[in-house]
C-alpha cells in the first residue's frame, strides 16, 4: 500500500488526462445545446455542469465503472496470478484510449470515449489471452456483445424518445398557441432542469471511462479494496470539471453560437431524451456515448419536424467511428502494454 | 490550411437552415419591385436619368438575389433532412427567383425608349404597376408566415392562416391581368399617336410588368404545394 508508488501516480495522471478529455469535449457537447437554445449563459452552464457532473460521477458512477474495470476482462482472476500486469495493462488502456481520443479530436472525428476505453481494455484482455495468462473464453464476450449492442441501441432510443417527446410538445403545446415565442420562453426554465439532468447522467456514465481502468489498476496495486471508493470516482469528477473549465467552455461557446435552430422546446426534447437514455444505461451498467445519443435525439426532433435542417451524413461518420474505434484502441493498448513489458516496467 | 480546433462536437448534425436565406431572397424580390415602381413613376414623368439610375440599382439587387439562390441550392445536399420536401422547396424557389429577374428586365426595357404618353396610358401604367407591387407585397406577407410555421412546427392553425393568403395573391394577380388586357387594348387604340415602335415598346412593357405578378402567384402556388405535401 503505497500512494507514492510511481505506478499509482502514473495511473492517476493518465486517469486525469482521460477525464480532462471527457470534460473538455463530451461534457461540453452535452451542455452546449443549453447555451445554443439561449436558455442559459455560459457561466451558468459551467456551474451547473460542474456540480451535477460531479454528483453524477460520485453518486451514480459505480456501476459502469465496475463494468469497465472487471466486466470485460476477468481482472480479479488475473490479479491473483499477476497483479503487476493488471496495473500495467490498465495504464496502457487509459493511455491508448486517451491517445485515440486526442487524435480523433484534432481531426474532428465523432469518436466516443466510451467506445475507446472498451476497445482499449479489450486489447489488454487479448494480450493476456495471447500470452496464455487467460483463455480466450475467459474474456466476457457476452458482456462485450451487450455493450456493443447498446452503442447501436442508445442513439436509436434517443431518436425515438426525442421524437415522441417533441411530438407531444408540438401537439399539446406549440399547436395550441398563437404565440410560440411565449412558449419558448417558458421552456427556458425547464431547460435549466434538463441541463442539470444531462450533466448528472453524463457524469454517471462517462466517469467510468477514466476511472474504470484507474480503479482496477489501484485495486491490483493494493491501494484500494474491491469495490470502487468514492474518492476514486471523485478523481474522475474533478478531472472532468477541470476539462470543462479549461477547455470545454470554448467548445460550449462554439456550439452555442452555431446552433441557433435549437430553440428551448427543441433543446428540451433532445436533452431530456438523451439524459434519460444515458441514465438508463448507467443503471444497466452499460458504457455508452452521450454524444452519439444526443445526435440521435437531435435527429429525432428533426424527424418530428422540429428543425429547419438536419444533416444525416453524420450517421455514416458515427457508424465509421464505431467500426474503427474498437480495433484501433485495442491494438494501441496491446502495443503500449507490450512495449512497457518489453522495457521491463 | 484548415484551422484545427481541439473539438469533437455534435455540430455536424445541424445543417444550415435554407428558410432564412429563402426569406431574404423573397425580400430582394420585393425590394427590386419597389424600385421598379419608382422607375415606372419616373418614366411617366419623363425623368430618364432617374430611370437609368434605378435600373442599375435593380441590377445590383437582382445579383444579390442570385447569390442567395445559389447559396440555398448549394446547401441542399441529399443528406439534408428538412421539414418539407427539398424538391418542392427548390420548385418554389424558381418562380420566386423570377421576380427580381423580371423586375430587372422591365427596368432595363424602360431605359430603351422615352415616350410622350397620353394621360389614359400613363394612368393605366401606374395602376398596373401599383397593383403588381401589391401582389408582390402580399406574396412577401406569405413568406413572412413561413417562419412562424416553422416555429410552431406547422400547427394546423398556422397552416390554415398561411394558406388563406395564397388565394389573396391569386386574386390580386387576376386584377393585374384585367388591367393588363384593358391597357393593351387602349395602347392599340392610340397607335396613331404612339407609332409602331411606341406600341411595340409599350405592349411589351405591359406584358413584362404583368409577368412579375404572374411569377408571384406561381411562387405562392408552389409554396402551398410545399406546405401541403410535407
Amino acid at each position: 500500500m503505497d500512494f507514492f508508488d510511481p505506478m499509482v501516480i502514473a495511473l492517476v495522471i493518465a486517469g486525469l488526462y482521460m477525464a480532462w478529455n471527457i470534460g473538455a469535449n463530451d461534457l461540453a457537447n452535452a451542455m452546449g445545446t443549453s447555451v445554443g437554445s439561449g436558455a442559459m449563459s455560459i457561466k451558468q452552464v459551467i456551474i451547473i455542469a460542474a456540480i451535477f457532473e460531479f454528483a453524477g460521477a460520485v453518486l451514480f458512477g459505480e456501476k459502469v465503472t465496475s463494468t469497465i474495470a472487471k466486466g470485460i476482462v476477468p481482472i480479479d482472476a488475473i490479479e491473483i496470478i499477476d497483479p503487476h500486469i493488471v496495473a500495467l495493462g490498465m495504464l496502457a488502456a487509459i493511455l491508448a484510449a486517451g491517445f485515440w481520443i486526442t487524435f480523433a479530436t484534432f481531426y474532428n472525428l465523432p469518436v466516443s470515449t466510451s467506445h475507446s476505453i472498451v476497445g482499449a481494455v479489450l486489447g489488454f484482455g487479448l494480450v493476456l489471452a495471447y500470452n496464455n495468462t487467460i483463455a480466450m473464453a475467459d474474456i466476457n464476450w457476452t458482456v462485450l456483445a451487450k455493450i456493443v449492442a447498446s452503442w447501436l441501441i442508445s442513439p436509436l432510443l434517443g431518436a425515438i424518445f426525442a421524437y415522441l417527446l417533441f411530438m407531444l410538445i408540438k401537439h399539446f403545446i406549440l399547436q395550441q398557441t398563437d404565440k410560440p415565442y411565449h412558449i419558448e420562453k417558458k421552456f427556458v426554465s425547464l431547460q435549466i432542469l434538463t441541463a442539470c439532468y444531462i450533466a448528472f447522467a453524463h457524469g454517471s456514465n462517462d466517469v467510468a471511462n477514466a476511472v474504470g481502468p484507474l480503479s482496477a489498476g489501484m485495486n491490483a496495486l493494493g491501494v484500494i479494496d474491491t469495490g470502487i471508493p468514492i474518492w476514486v470516482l471523485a478523481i474522475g469528477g474533478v478531472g472532468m470539471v477541470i476539462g470543462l473549465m479549461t477547455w470545454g467552455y470554448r467548445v460550449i461557446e462554439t456550439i452555442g453560437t452555431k446552433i441557433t435552430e435549437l430553440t428551448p422546446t427543441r433543446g428540451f426534447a433532445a436533452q431530456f431524451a438523451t439524459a434519460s437514455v444515458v441514465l438508463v444505461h448507467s443503471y444497466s451498467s452499460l458504457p455508452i456515448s452521450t454524444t452519439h445519443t444526443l445526435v440521435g435525439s437531435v435527429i429525432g426532433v428533426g424527424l418530428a419536424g422540429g428543425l429547419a435542417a438536419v444533416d444525416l451524413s453524420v450517421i455514416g461518420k458515427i457508424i465509421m467511428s464505431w467500426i474503427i474505434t474498437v480495433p484501433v484502441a485495442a491494438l494501441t493498448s496491446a502495443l503500449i502494454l507490450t512495449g512497457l513489458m518489453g522495457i521491463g516496467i | 490550411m484548415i484551422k484545427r480546433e481541439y473539438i469533437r462536437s455534435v455540430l455536424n448534425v445541424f445543417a444550415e437552415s435554407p428558410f432564412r436565406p429563402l426569406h431574404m431572397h423573397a425580400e430582394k424580390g420585393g425590394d427590386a419591385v419597389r424600385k421598379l415602381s419608382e422607375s415606372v413613376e419616373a418614366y411617366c414623368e419623363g425623368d430618364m436619368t432617374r430611370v437609368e439610375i434605378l435600373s442599375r440599382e435593380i441590377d445590383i439587387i437582382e445579383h444579390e438575389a442570385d447569390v442567395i439562390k445559389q447559396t440555398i441550392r448549394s446547401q441542399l445536399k441529399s443528406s439534408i433532412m428538412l421539414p418539407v420536401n427539398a424538391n418542392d422547396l427548390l420548385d418554389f424557389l424558381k418562380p420566386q427567383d423570377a421576380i427580381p429577374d423580371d423586375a430587372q428586365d422591365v427596368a432595363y426595357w424602360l431605359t430603351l425608349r422615352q415616350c410622350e404618353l397620353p394621360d389614359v396610358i400613363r394612368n393605366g401604367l401606374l395602376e398596373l404597376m401599383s397593383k403588381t407591387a401589391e401582389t408582390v407585397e402580399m406574396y412577401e406577407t406569405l413568406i413572412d408566415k413561413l417562419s412562424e410555421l416553422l416555429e410552431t412546427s406547422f400547427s394546423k392553425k398556422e397552416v390554415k392562416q398561411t394558406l388563406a393568403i395564397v388565394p389573396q395573391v391569386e386574386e390580386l394577380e387576376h386584377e393585374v391581368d384585367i388591367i393588363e388586357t384593358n391597357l393593351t387594348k387602349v395602347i392599340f387604340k392610340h397607335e396613331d399617336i404612339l407609332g409602331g415602335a411606341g406600341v411595340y415598346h409599350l405592349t411589351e412593357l405591359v406584358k413584362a410588368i404583368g409577368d412579375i405578378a404572374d411569377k408571384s402567384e406561381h411562387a405562392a402556388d408552389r409554396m402551398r404545394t410545399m406546405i401541403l405535401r410535407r
Side-chain angles (χ1 to χ4, degrees):
Chain A
M1 265 261 256
D2 184 3
F3 282 98
F4 298 101
D5 182 338
M7 201 59 181
V8 175
I9 294 168
L11 271 169
V12 170
I13 291 172
L16 281 173
Y17 163 56
M18 189 68 184
W20 183 88
N21 263 307
I22 299 166
N25 269 293
D26 300 57
L27 174 58
N29 265 297
M31 306 310 294
T33 39
S34 312
V35 178
S37 56
M40 274 166 279
S41 72
I42 290 191
K43 220 179 211 172
Q44 289 170 312
V45 163
I46 287 178
I47 293 167
I48 283 178
I51 295 170
F52 285 88
E53 176 85 1
F54 190 82
V58 172
L59 302 176
F60 214 63
E62 200 189 323
K63 284 192 168 191
V64 183
T65 305
S66 136
T67 301
I68 288 181
K70 43 199 157 191
I72 304 163
V73 180
I75 296 285
D76 292 337
I78 304 162
E79 232 177 75
I80 299 165
I81 310 167
D82 185 354
H84 178 69
I85 204 168
V86 172
L88 210 55
M90 289 299 110
L91 179 63
I94 308 179
L95 290 176
F99 290 155
W100 174 235
I101 286 299
T102 300
F103 174 83
T105 309
F106 267 114
Y107 288 91
N108 302 116
L109 307 172
V111 164
S112 150
T113 43
S114 309
H115 302 187
S116 309
I117 202 72
V118 168
V121 171
L122 177 66
F124 167 65
L126 290 175
V127 169
L128 293 185
Y130 183 77
N131 285 347
N132 287 320
T133 313
I134 57 168
M136 209 46 138
D138 287 339
I139 293 175
N140 204 335
W141 297 106
T142 334
V143 169
L144 194 69
K146 263 195 201 166
I147 293 172
V148 172
S150 75
W151 295 346
L152 213 87
I153 291 165
S154 52
L156 281 177
L157 279 179
I160 294 169
F161 192 24
Y163 175 87
L164 292 175
L165 202 57
F166 187 70
M167 277 304 212
L168 289 175
I169 293 172
K170 182 168 136 175
H171 192 76
F172 288 108
I173 304 170
L174 283 177
Q175 307 204 333
Q176 305 298 326
T177 179
D178 288 326
K179 294 169 187 143
Y181 176 73
H182 288 278
I183 299 294
E184 296 294 346
K185 258 172 93 179
K186 282 187 182 144
F187 267 81
V188 167
S189 45
L190 263 179
Q191 256 211 309
I192 297 170
L193 287 178
T194 40
C196 304
Y197 186 24
I198 204 168
F200 185 86
H202 182 266
S204 74
N205 203 286
D206 278 33
V207 72
N209 303 341
V211 157
L214 175 65
S215 65
M218 295 219 278
N219 182 247
L221 292 168
V223 180
I224 59 172
D225 291 333
T226 42
I228 292 123
I230 281 183
W231 65 267
V232 176
L233 292 169
I235 290 177
V238 167
M240 292 193 288
V241 171
I242 292 174
L244 180 74
M245 288 177 170
T246 53
W247 191 266
Y249 71 96
R250 292 185 43 163
V251 179
I252 292 180
E253 231 166 18
T254 310
I255 294 173
T257 50
K258 286 190 184 158
I259 325 181
T260 44
E261 290 300 326
L262 206 69
T263 60
T265 49
R266 278 78 169 165
F268 169 79
Q271 282 195 315
F272 191 84
T274 306
S276 305
V277 170
V278 171
L279 207 58
V280 165
H281 281 84
S282 300
Y283 184 74
S284 318
S285 313
L286 292 166
I288 58 159
S289 164
T290 310
T291 309
H292 293 180
T293 310
L294 185 58
V295 167
S297 302
V298 169
I299 291 174
V301 175
L303 283 170
L307 290 167
V310 172
D311 190 347
L312 296 178
S313 67
V314 71
I315 297 174
K317 288 182 198 151
I318 285 182
I319 291 174
M320 275 306 289
S321 84
W322 283 342
I323 298 169
I324 297 170
T325 295
V326 172
V328 167
L331 190 68
T332 318
S333 160
L335 287 175
I336 294 174
L337 176 60
T338 328
L340 288 174
M341 289 194 300
I343 57 170
I345 293 172
Chain B
M1 212 186 106
I2 307 161
K3 193 176 156 230
R4 292 221 181 276
E5 293 206 47
Y6 194 66
I7 288 179
R8 268 177 305 125
S9 77
V10 290
L11 278 178
N12 291 334
V13 73
F14 294 96
E16 210 69 54
S17 162
F19 295 101
R20 232 185 316 261
L22 208 59
H23 191 263
M24 277 165 60
H25 183 268
E27 279 177 344
K28 291 289 171 200
D31 290 347
V33 172
R34 277 181 284 274
K35 289 265 180 212
L36 185 64
S37 291
E38 284 180 47
S39 180
V40 169
E41 275 168 35
Y43 183 79
C44 288
E45 286 159 15
D47 184 353
M48 292 308 279
T49 350
R50 182 106 186 94
V51 171
E52 287 279 356
I53 293 168
L54 284 163
S55 170
R56 277 196 294 275
E57 286 178 6
I58 293 171
D59 278 349
I60 294 166
I61 296 173
E62 192 275 337
H63 178 68
E64 288 166 348
D66 260 356
V67 172
I68 299 172
K69 181 193 71 181
Q70 282 154 14
T71 315
I72 297 172
R73 288 210 176 138
S74 63
Q75 277 171 356
L76 286 179
K77 294 177 292 175
S78 61
S79 63
I80 306 288
M81 181 175 73
L82 302 172
V84 295
N85 186 311
N87 286 328
D88 288 346
L89 190 140
L90 290 173
D91 272 352
F92 116 81
L93 178 60
K94 209 173 159 187
Q96 179 174 293
D97 189 53
I99 298 172
D101 267 358
D102 287 6
Q104 183 190 29
D105 290 346
V106 176
Y108 170 68
W109 189 254
L110 283 173
T111 63
L112 292 178
R113 191 171 189 279
Q114 187 173 11
C115 185
E116 197 56 46
L117 294 173
D119 277 348
V120 55
I121 295 179
R122 179 183 296 132
N123 292 338
L125 207 54
L126 289 172
E127 194 195 354
L128 175 72
M129 189 61 233
S130 97
K131 196 53 96 180
T132 298
E134 210 182 308
T135 314
V136 173
E137 269 161 8
M138 184 59 82
Y139 175 71
E140 282 187 295
T141 323
L142 180 64
I143 288 288
D144 285 340
K145 272 278 179 195
L146 189 59
S147 50
E148 273 170 55
L149 272 184
L150 288 167
E151 267 178 52
T152 59
S153 187
F154 296 93
S155 83
K156 283 195 189 82
K157 210 193 287 170
E158 289 289 337
V159 168
K160 212 174 150 193
Q161 283 175 7
T162 309
L163 293 185
I165 303 175
V166 179
Q168 295 182 46
V169 178
E170 287 169 336
E171 178 56 35
L172 286 167
E173 192 271 337
H174 178 64
E175 288 171 30
V176 169
D177 268 353
I178 294 169
I179 300 171
E180 189 186 329
T181 328
N182 291 337
L183 186 56
T184 310
K185 281 182 196 158
V186 173
I187 291 168
F188 276 104
K189 274 184 193 149
H190 289 78
E191 64 176 273
D192 294 343
I193 313 166
L194 296 166
V199 168
Y200 175 69
H201 183 249
L202 283 173
T203 49
E204 285 295 308
L205 177 67
V206 166
K207 207 160 80 186
I209 294 174
D211 276 352
I212 298 174
D214 252 6
K215 297 292 162 46
S216 312
E217 186 254 354
H218 195 168
D221 183 51
R222 283 295 163 90
M223 185 170 145
R224 174 168 54 197
T225 309
M226 178 181 86
I227 293 169
L228 289 175
R229 291 210 325 169
R230 76 184 187 280

